[in-house]
Amino acid sequence: MSQAIHYIKQDHINQNGTALHASIPTEAVTIRVGGALDKVTLLSSLATACDFPSYFSHNWDSAWDCLTDSEARHLTLDLTTIKKINTEDFNVFKNIIEEAYQTFGKPQLWIIVPPE
């Protein structure tokens, strides 16, 4: 498992949204997405969650730049209500998180997945 990305099963989260077995930092910023996960949704939601500056260009390079300049050190993304995931876009997003973490030691991402 990567140090940057952690997967937590939904059944390990209590009703208050607190992890029962894994430790999601209380200061983690939640990336809120609707029923579909794609590039547009991820970039918009990430920009909102991390309060990206107005010059954010809504592309992957700009997301990396703004994310590494952001104060956000911990992020959560809940996949349990997502109906459709563009896996290519999701993989690019995870690669950005990995690269940012390797370069700057932040952010870490906790992904909440449905129970099996």
Side-chain angles (χ1 to χ4, degrees):
M1 180 185 307
S2 152
Q3 292 180 348
I5 300 175
H6 309 273
Y7 293 89
I8 299 173
K9 291 182 183 173
Q10 181 184 26
D11 57 357
H12 292 141
I13 306 291
N14 70 19
Q15 294 175 346
N16 298 330
T18 305
L20 298 175
H21 300 292
S23 179
I24 298 175
T26 56
E27 68 273 11
V29 175
T30 300
I31 303 168
R32 300 193 187 285
V33 292
L37 189 69
D38 58 23
K39 180 179 181 179
V40 172
T41 304
L42 277 168
L43 290 173
S44 296
S45 299
L46 182 63
T48 300
C50 296
D51 196 27
F52 283 178
S54 61
Y55 58 80
F56 173 59
S57 301
H58 292 273
N59 62 54
W60 295 123
D61 289 336
S62 186
W64 190 89
D65 290 340
C66 291
L67 186 60
T68 57
D69 287 341
S70 168
E71 295 297 318
R73 300 192 59 76
H74 308 285
L75 307 168
T76 61
L77 178 62
D78 187 347
L79 299 182
T80 60
T81 60
I82 308 272
K83 306 266 188 267
K84 181 179 177 186
I85 296 176
N86 180 312
T87 54
E88 184 177 335
D89 292 344
F90 188 44
N91 287 334
V92 171
F93 172 71
K94 291 187 293 184
N95 285 335
I96 287 171
I97 298 295
E98 289 278 356
E99 289 176 18
Y101 185 80
Q102 288 174 4
T103 305
F104 293 97
K106 68 172 189 158
Q108 288 182 299
L109 173 65
W110 280 262
I111 301 173
I112 302 168
V113 295
E116 295 178 54

